Amino acid sequence: MLSRVEKFEVALKQTECDAVLVTNLKNIYYLTGFSGTEATVFISKSRRIFLTDSRYTLIAKGVVQGFDIVETRDAVGEIAKIIADDNLQKIGFDDEISYAYFKMLESVFAGHELVPMTGFIENLRMIKDEQEIATIRKACQISDQAFLDVLDFIKSGQTTEQAVMNFLDARMRQLGASGASFDFIIASGYRSAMPHGVASDKVIQKGETLTMDFGCLYNQYVSDMTRTIYLGHVSDEQAEIYNTVLKANQALIDQAKAGLGFRDFDKIPRDIIIEAGYGDYFTHGIGHGIGLDIHEEPYFSQTSKEVIKTGMVLTDEPGIYIEGKYGVRIEDDILITDTGCELLTLAPKELIVI
């Protein structure tokens, strides 16, 4: 099996570039295992160079394998020398760099063609290897346990959304996470109709809906899950909406497998919500890839002609949001296989009233 950097080199041979300059730290971690705050990677068809400053040299020597390690505070200057020595012409680069950095590259690499490598490494990252899958699975286990624990913490009329957020963050760290994977969405009552309603100082009241969208960072990889619960009691309408979202969530789990079209990945759960009469209240996409980033390729649309592939880890997150009243979202992380999908987030999804 090819290593990640070997897969990169195979892909590089399919491009017009002689080499690629990598500055995105997530991409550098993906290729080298280095997780410091200062690093540059340069890979040509004959060299692998890892450049960092003196703060990280010893760390890099213990982590980065198969690269020449160069200690420098002028990575671009060092790379310019390599480009000249090897007579390289077309240099690819991560295209989310700042304009100022790009202008500096133009100046230092004058006479050479700079080629933006949009999505080059990100496309490689879409298919997870066994180590990545195991790490994401562990991150999901941590989130699952934190959800079970927070149910005992929440008290209607006493607990604020902010307190729920803090509890989940602290509990996941206690369970081995290094931090939160994003700013949690903790929204109760009328605020749960906001798909991205971040935690406020609002007190959660009896009779309200509470949506918790959260996740953790574990060994650089993320989890991302959403559960919606009810405080004290649930109305017939709330139960109907909840069960519609759950049905949509489960339908995608039942049908997701390698070869399913991106548009069908979105259409399967969306059709269920539309048929129930709530199509206008499902206002966002069905999901996205996760891995080193909380939102990464692939993304889904109803017009895409692409298909999902074995090894992708995706979110399944249908929702219904009634402005001024409440909202429901249920989100799972799933691993795509040849014959179906593996559910990675295993926290209970039956309608919960506490």
Side-chain angles (χ1 to χ4, degrees):
M1 182 179 294
L2 296 178
S3 68
R4 296 174 198 171
V5 71
E6 287 170 340
K7 290 178 183 177
F8 176 99
E9 289 169 333
V10 169
L12 175 59
K13 291 177 182 178
Q14 312 300 316
T15 75
E16 60 181 342
C17 293
D18 298 314
V20 177
L21 172 70
V22 184
T23 52
N24 178 300
L25 291 173
K26 298 282 181 68
N27 288 340
I28 288 172
Y29 177 83
Y30 177 77
L31 293 171
T32 70
F34 176 83
S35 58
T37 61
E38 178 60 44
T40 303
V41 163
F42 186 75
I43 300 176
S44 70
K45 292 171 182 177
S46 61
R47 297 205 204 194
R48 299 174 186 170
I49 312 294
F50 179 95
L51 305 99
T52 191
D53 64 37
S54 58
R55 296 172 297 167
Y56 290 113
T57 304
L58 291 179
I59 294 172
K61 287 180 178 179
V63 173
V64 179
Q65 304 295 320
F67 284 75
D68 293 328
I69 296 174
V70 176
E71 181 182 304
T72 180
R73 289 192 174 275
D74 181 17
V76 173
E78 292 292 332
I79 292 167
K81 296 175 187 176
I82 295 168
I83 290 172
D85 289 345
D86 292 0
N87 193 30
L88 306 177
Q89 298 302 316
K90 293 186 177 183
I91 311 301
F93 65 94
D94 285 334
D95 63 353
E96 78 280 13
I97 60 175
S98 69
Y99 180 71
Y101 190 86
F102 175 72
K103 296 303 289 184
M104 184 263 288
L105 291 181
E106 279 191 321
S107 175
V108 177
F109 296 168
H112 302 276
E113 183 178 350
L114 291 171
V115 181
M117 303 295 281
T118 305
F120 181 68
I121 301 177
E122 288 77 7
N123 286 335
L124 298 177
R125 285 169 47 186
M126 280 197 291
I127 308 301
K128 272 59 181 181
D129 59 34
E130 290 183 3
Q131 182 181 13
E132 291 178 291
I133 291 167
T135 305
I136 295 170
R137 185 180 286 113
K138 176 62 177 178
C140 290
Q141 290 169 354
I142 290 171
S143 297
D144 284 341
Q145 186 60 54
F147 171 72
L148 294 174
D149 294 341
V150 81
L151 296 179
D152 292 328
F153 172 78
I154 298 166
K155 300 291 185 292
S156 61
Q158 301 178 40
T159 309
T160 65
E161 294 170 353
Q162 185 77 39
V164 171
M165 183 192 74
N166 292 342
F167 178 93
L168 287 168
D169 186 13
R171 184 66 182 124
M172 289 190 292
R173 291 173 191 266
Q174 290 170 351
L175 292 166
S178 58
S181 51
F182 60 99
D183 290 334
F184 300 165
I185 297 163
I186 310 293
S188 61
Y190 71 93
R191 297 190 72 256
S192 64
M194 306 174 187
H196 272 210
V198 296
S200 73
D201 59 3
K202 177 187 173 300
V203 176
I204 303 161
Q205 302 291 346
K206 186 175 182 180
E208 289 187 331
T209 303
L210 173 62
T211 295
M212 296 173 281
D213 184 345
F214 64 100
C216 72
L217 193 63
Y218 178 78
N219 286 354
Q220 308 301 320
Y221 285 82
V222 306
S223 62
D224 183 8
M225 65 178 283
T226 307
R227 294 294 186 264
T228 299
I229 66 169
Y230 300 88
L231 281 296
H233 58 82
V234 60
S235 69
D236 290 343
E237 182 187 60
Q238 286 173 320
E240 176 192 346
I241 290 173
Y242 185 90
N243 288 326
T244 298
V245 174
L246 180 59
K247 182 179 178 182
N249 167 271
Q250 188 60 48
L252 186 53
I253 292 168
D254 291 341
Q255 297 182 58
K257 65 178 180 179
L260 183 72
F262 279 16
R263 58 182 152 191
D264 292 321
F265 192 87
D266 183 272
K267 186 175 186 296
I268 287 166
R270 193 174 299 277
D271 280 353
I272 288 173
I273 292 175
I274 291 171
E275 289 166 9
Y278 295 104
D280 290 341
Y281 303 99
F282 180 15
T283 55
H284 55 75
I286 186 57
H288 51 85
I290 63 168
L292 289 168
D293 284 306
I294 193 64
H295 295 102
E296 62 180 47
E297 295 288 349
Y299 299 95
F300 302 96
S301 78
Q302 297 170 55
T303 58
S304 174
K305 296 181 180 179
E306 297 179 77
V307 300
I308 60 177
K309 298 178 182 179
T310 296
M312 289 181 172
V313 179
L314 312 172
T315 66
D316 166 16
E317 49 182 303
I320 294 174
Y321 311 92
I322 312 296
E323 185 177 350
K325 296 178 71 175
Y326 42 72
V328 175
R329 182 165 64 255
I330 302 170
E331 177 185 16
D332 286 307
D333 300 335
I334 59 174
L335 167 66
I336 302 302
T337 68
D338 291 338
T339 58
C341 73
E342 177 189 344
L343 185 60
L344 300 179
T345 40
L346 302 177
K349 289 186 289 186
E350 71 273 9
L351 195 154
I352 295 174
V353 181
I354 60 171

